[in-house]
Every structure is written in C-alpha cells, then in structure tokens.
Amino acid sequence: MLTWKWMKGILNFDLRSALNQRSDFGDDEEKERLKVAKLLAFASSAGTVAWNKFSQIWLLSVGLSPTQAGVLKSVGLLAKTGAQPMWAAIADMEIPARFNPNLRTTSMHATAVISIVLSLVLLEALRRYAAELTFMSILFLRTSWAVANAGTPIVDAMVAQLSHRTREGYGRQRLWGSVAWGGLTLAVGALIDAFGTSAIFAVPLLARSALVASIVYAAALARPPAADVPDSP
C-alpha cells in the first residue's frame, strides 16, 4: 500500500544513512526534495492552527452556548479520527493509475488535494451560514468538515516520502510543522485582535492554498529512490 509504504520510513531507522550520512539522490535533487518537504510540513500545520486554537471564540460569537461549542468540538474530533483510515484507504487504491499507470505515485497527492479543497468549501459554508442555521444543522456541517479535513495527515506521508534516504531524514522536515504551530498561534491571536474573528478563516485559506500548491509540486518529485523501483521484466 502506497501510503503505508512511505509511512514505514518514519518507523524504520535507516542505519546506513545515520552512520555514513549517504543519500540516494544527487545534491541538487536532495535539496529540492527537502525544501518541498519543509514547505509541506509548515503549510500543513499552518492551515490548522487558527481553527484548532480559536474556533470556540467564533462559535460563541454566532450564538452557540459553551456546551454546544464543546459538543461540536468533541463530535468533530471523533469524526476526524474515524475518517482518517478512510482517506488513507482511498490513497492506497491508487485511483489515478487506473487512468494512467504513470500516475501511480501521485495517488496520495490527489487524495490530499481533494480532501483539502473539500474541507475549505465546507469551512466557508460554515462561516457564511452558521448564524442562520439550527444547532443540528451546524453539527452536521461541522462534522462533514471534520470528515473532509481528515485527509490532511496524508501530507505526513509525503514528507516521509520526500525525506526518505536523504541526509536529513523525516524529523528535521517535520520540525517545521512545530515552527508553524508555535509561530502562528501568536500571529493569529494578534490578527484576531486587529481584524476580528474573520482571521480564523482567512489564515487557513491562505495556508491551505499554499499547501495545495506545494502538494502539486511534490507530485513531480514523488518517484521513489532507484533502489526501491523493481526492475522491469
């Protein structure tokens, strides 16, 4: 399975690379792969900070009670957790390869883009209509958004794929996700003070747009190392 194959790179310690600092790529190609991996990690985390940290403020501002806001968050977390295996299974189906065998390695990229775009559409619908909807309608829309948003962890598989058998490895790339999370937590708070709760939606839109662009570029670098490609019969 494609997604699982690359996520195993996170769990399996590459002793050869650790001891010899060797890479399966040329210097220029490795730099390009690692640059994109860092962009993916940064943009992926940046797209989640505003909602995860400050959504309760907005939910209260549209007339929900603290109890209702808490229910939305709890149900959303459960829905997202349950939906993550579904998105991974879709990525592993390698649907693009059914149209063109050369697109086999882009399956998780296409799946992640669909998930991100769908989540942005549903988040915008929530922003526009929440004040006019009943609580049950908001719950349905919020849960649907959580299910759509559950595909973004596939980006971690891309980061693992791009950093696999390089001199830096996965951890140094994923560090940029933590940088985004910490830095934007402060930045989004300041933006909310300056521009109101609309910043809770503007920041994810910008970050997710950058993430989609990075995923599209990463798809061009998605070939596995030569050692992992089976010889043609």
Side-chain angles (χ1 to χ4, degrees):
M1 296 187 295
L2 182 64
T3 305
W4 174 240
K5 174 184 176 182
W6 288 112
M7 287 304 293
K8 284 195 299 184
I10 304 172
L11 304 175
N12 296 333
F13 184 72
D14 191 341
L15 184 61
R16 184 195 67 179
S17 296
L19 294 178
N20 300 324
Q21 292 293 293
R22 292 177 57 188
S23 170
D24 285 355
F25 306 97
D27 289 344
D28 291 341
E29 183 179 2
E30 178 174 310
K31 288 178 182 178
E32 195 71 9
R33 292 173 71 91
L34 294 176
K35 179 177 68 176
V36 176
K38 291 178 175 68
L39 287 172
L40 287 170
F42 186 93
S44 180
S45 288
T48 64
V49 172
W51 181 264
N52 285 340
K53 288 291 187 180
F54 303 102
S55 61
Q56 300 300 88
I57 298 173
W58 178 79
L59 291 171
L60 295 175
S61 74
V62 297
L64 297 183
S65 68
T67 299
Q68 290 174 325
V71 169
L72 288 178
K73 187 173 184 66
S74 299
V75 173
L77 289 172
L78 289 173
K80 183 174 182 178
T81 300
Q84 285 176 350
M86 176 195 73
W87 285 108
I90 292 173
D92 286 337
M93 289 170 65
E94 300 182 2
I95 294 175
R98 301 180 185 181
F99 301 95
N100 185 338
N102 294 328
L103 298 178
R104 183 185 65 83
T105 57
T106 66
S107 179
M108 62 180 172
H109 303 81
T111 304
V113 168
I114 292 171
S115 168
I116 293 166
V117 172
L118 183 58
S119 70
L120 285 176
V121 170
L122 291 171
L123 188 61
E124 176 61 15
L126 186 64
R127 182 189 71 83
R128 288 193 178 192
Y129 302 116
E132 306 169 9
L133 297 175
T134 65
F135 172 69
M136 292 305 297
S137 297
I138 295 174
L139 178 61
F140 174 79
L141 192 56
R142 169 66 176 86
T143 304
S144 299
W145 173 79
V147 170
N149 194 45
T152 52
I154 296 174
V155 174
D156 275 345
M158 298 178 207
V159 175
Q161 179 193 55
L162 290 167
S163 59
H164 186 53
R165 293 184 177 176
T166 64
R167 280 181 284 266
E168 290 190 8
Y170 172 80
R172 293 186 185 181
Q173 318 317 310
R174 198 61 186 85
L175 172 65
W176 288 91
S178 300
V179 172
W181 186 267
L184 284 179
T185 296
L186 299 175
V188 173
L191 289 172
I192 292 173
D193 287 340
F195 302 104
T197 55
S198 59
I200 297 173
F201 299 90
V203 172
L205 176 61
L206 294 173
R208 292 292 175 89
S209 297
L211 179 58
V212 168
S214 299
I215 291 172
V216 171
Y217 187 44
L221 304 174
R223 70 168 184 85
D228 287 350
V229 179
D231 294 333
S232 301

